[in-house]
């Protein structure tokens, strides 16, 4: 149980979901180790304070990255102690006010950064900035996507389309600085993929952003009519259709008509079963097609 939880927490950390990892650690140690639960709470508060400072522009990118790395290291160390129920060693256990000092240090560093920035007659937002994008499939970093194109949306800004290179990367440069705080979205082009995760929400948070993509399944709309056996082509109203054991299901209307969205490409062969009045009355292969109107007659 603890090994599975540790793997899950470490995966969250690898996906830059430190807040979710800290919340799971806090819940895990509830009733098991008060000192470790306090440590998880302290890390959670540090994460919230860091996010607030980043969003408010009160901390430099370098200082934010340094604090984020420290939090990540502390989360990983705590994830190795899931089976420990005693009190933490004095050197490892934070005092009740250590995390508060850390938060105050972050805020003071941010204020100092802004003060020096203004004194040097520099703007806090650059004229332009770059974003280095990495893309991989659902299998993780080793599941590189090395083809297709991609563009970025940052608020009202639409970037030029870029090719994804053989390393699974695309570089977007000369983005106007006013979009540094805007949420970043990736749009895959010329490939049937959708975005299912990303490592950072804004370029201010991180200018190296990894996007996780997942294939979009092919879907074909299948239409037809189901008839009762015998002469006259009487419609089978309320017949229950099942594609490949639940892949797609539906019922015919009062005229025996049906329409199913089948998550298969046209030309694929699958199994269609039709039940009518509680009995199976049809069980045959069907070649998926969006252009054919299938006319199916139930078995007696």
């Amino acid at each position: 149980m603890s090994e599975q939880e540790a793997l899950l927490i470490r995966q969250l950390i690898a996906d830059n979901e430190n807040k979710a990892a800290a919340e799971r650690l806090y819940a895990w140690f509830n009733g098991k180790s008060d000192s470790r639960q306090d440590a998880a709470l302290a890390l959670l508060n540090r994460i919230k304070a860091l996010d607030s400072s980043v969003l408010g522009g009160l901390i430099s990118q370098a200082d934010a990255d340094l604090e984020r790395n420290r939090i990540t290291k502390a989360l990983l160390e705590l994830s190795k102690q899931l089976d420990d129920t005693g009190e933490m060693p004095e050197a490892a256990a934070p005092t009740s006010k250590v995390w508060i000092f850390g938060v105050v240090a972050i805020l003071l560093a941010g204020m100092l950064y802004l003060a020096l920035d203004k004194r040097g007659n520099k703007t806090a937002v650059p004229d332009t900035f770059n974003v280095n994008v990495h893309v991989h499939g659902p299998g993780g970093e080793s599941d590189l996507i090395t083809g297709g194109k991609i563009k970025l949306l940052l608020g009202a800004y639409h970037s030029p389309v870029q090719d994804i290179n053989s390393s699974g990367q695309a570089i977007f440069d000369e983005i106007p600085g006013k979009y540094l705080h805007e949420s970043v979205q990736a749009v895959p082009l010329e490939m049937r993929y959708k975005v299912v995760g990303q490592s950072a929400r804004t370029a201010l948070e991180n200018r190296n952003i990894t996007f996780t993509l997942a294939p979009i399944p092919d879907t074909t709309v299948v239409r037809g009519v189901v008839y009762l056996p015998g002469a006259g082509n009487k419609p089978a109203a309320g017949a229950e259709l099942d594609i490949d054991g639940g892949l797609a299901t539906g019922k015919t209307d009062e005229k025996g008509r049906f329409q199913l969205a089948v998550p298969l490409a046209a030309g694929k062969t699958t199994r269609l079963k039709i039940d009518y009045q509680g009995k199976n009355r049809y069980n045959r292969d069907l070649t998926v097609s969006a252009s054919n109107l299938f006319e199916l007659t139930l078995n007696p």
Side-chain angles (χ1 to χ4, degrees), residues 174-186:
E174 300 298 319
I175 300 173
K178 65 181 180 179
Y179 298 109
L180 186 65
H181 295 77
E182 298 286 351
S183 60
V184 179
Q185 299 179 58

Side-chain angles (χ1 to χ4, degrees), residues 117-149:
D117 189 60
K118 291 179 180 178
R119 191 173 299 172
N121 293 320
K122 298 178 182 178
T123 58
V125 176
D127 291 335
T128 62
F129 62 92
N130 300 343
V131 173
N132 188 21
V133 167
H134 306 258
V135 292
H136 62 68
E141 293 183 1
S142 61
D143 184 16
L144 287 180
I145 294 174
T146 58
K149 299 177 182 293

Side-chain angles (χ1 to χ4, degrees), residues 168-238:
Q169 298 183 34
I171 298 175
F172 296 84
D173 56 9
E174 300 298 319
I175 300 173
K178 65 181 180 179
Y179 298 109
L180 186 65
H181 295 77
E182 298 286 351
S183 60
V184 179
Q185 299 179 58
V187 181
L189 301 169
E190 297 185 11
M191 52 180 173
R192 293 187 59 80
Y193 279 88
K194 62 181 178 180
V195 177
V196 296
Q198 62 189 82
S199 62
R201 296 298 170 185
T202 67
L204 179 66
E205 181 182 342
N206 200 320
R207 299 184 199 180
N208 290 281
I209 304 179
T210 298
F211 291 93
T212 303
L213 308 184
I216 300 173
D218 289 308
T219 299
T220 306
V221 177
V222 176
R223 300 175 179 86
V225 183
V226 179
Y227 297 108
L228 294 172
N233 283 340
K234 294 181 180 180

Side-chain angles (χ1 to χ4, degrees), residues 219-222 243 247-249 259-264:
T219 299
T220 306
V221 177
V222 176
I243 296 283
L247 190 63
T249 60
Q259 177 174 303
L260 299 176
V262 181
L264 293 173

